[in-house]
């Protein structure tokens, strides 16, 4: 739509020509980024996060590192418990009733 507006050469194009050109370029760049391989972008982000996590762990003292590992272990155990304790789906049956 922006390209059509520019191609139609309106009378006041001189006023907003620069802004229109910038909008067209920005839109084209955004479209290219959206069409880029999402899997590659996800992998890049995950690799960067792993690198940052490793750098933080290397900067920790041994006691801080042990505390962080204990916390991670507790979080993992809590997640396992949550998975085990998932609530049953709601039902309209009374307690003790069974499906025929």
């Amino acid at each position: 739509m922006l390209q059509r507006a520019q191609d139609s050469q309106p009378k006041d194009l001189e006023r907003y020509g620069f802004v229109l050109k910038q909008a067209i370029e920005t839109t084209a760049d955004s479209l290219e980024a959206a069409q880029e391989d999402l899997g590659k972008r996800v992998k890049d982000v995950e690799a960067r996060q792993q690198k940052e996590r490793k750098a933080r762990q290397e900067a920790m003292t041994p006691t801080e590192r042990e505390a962080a590992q204990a916390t991670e272990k507790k979080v993992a155990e809590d997640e396992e418990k949550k998975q085990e304790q998932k609530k049953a789906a709601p039902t309209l049956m009374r307690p003790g009733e069974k499906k025929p």
Side-chain angles (χ1 to χ4, degrees), residues 7 21 23 30 34 42 51-52 56 66 70 77 95-97 99:
D7 293 342
K21 183 178 175 182
S30 296
V42 168
K51 186 177 178 182
E52 290 173 358
R56 278 194 307 264
E66 289 174 7
E77 290 173 356
E97 284 185 333
K99 291 183 181 179

Side-chain angles (χ1 to χ4, degrees), residues 3-100:
Q3 190 65 44
R4 278 189 267 149
Q6 185 179 27
D7 293 342
S8 68
Q9 297 292 325
K11 297 176 189 174
D12 54 351
L13 181 63
E14 297 163 1
R15 286 187 175 181
Y16 60 88
F18 177 75
V19 175
L20 180 61
K21 183 178 175 182
Q22 292 294 319
I24 291 171
E25 290 173 2
T26 303
T27 305
D29 291 344
S30 296
L31 181 62
E32 287 175 16
Q35 292 174 343
E36 188 178 299
D37 181 25
L38 292 179
K40 179 180 179 257
R41 289 177 23 193
V42 168
K43 289 178 185 176
D44 291 344
V45 169
E46 289 174 351
R48 189 173 354 134
Q49 287 176 344
Q50 285 285 21
K51 186 177 178 182
E52 290 173 358
R53 188 176 299 124
K54 185 176 180 181
R56 278 194 307 264
Q57 286 180 348
E58 289 175 358
M60 290 181 181
T61 62
T63 44
E64 289 175 334
R65 193 172 298 134
E66 289 174 7
Q69 289 174 348
T71 304
E72 289 176 4
K73 185 177 178 182
K74 184 177 181 190
V75 168
E77 290 173 356
D78 289 345
E79 286 296 321
E80 288 177 13
K81 287 180 183 178
K82 285 181 184 178
Q83 292 295 329
E84 292 174 3
Q85 296 176 351
K86 283 190 176 181
K87 291 186 178 180
T91 179
L92 297 176
M93 297 175 68
R94 294 185 182 132
E97 284 185 333
K98 295 182 181 179
K99 291 183 181 179

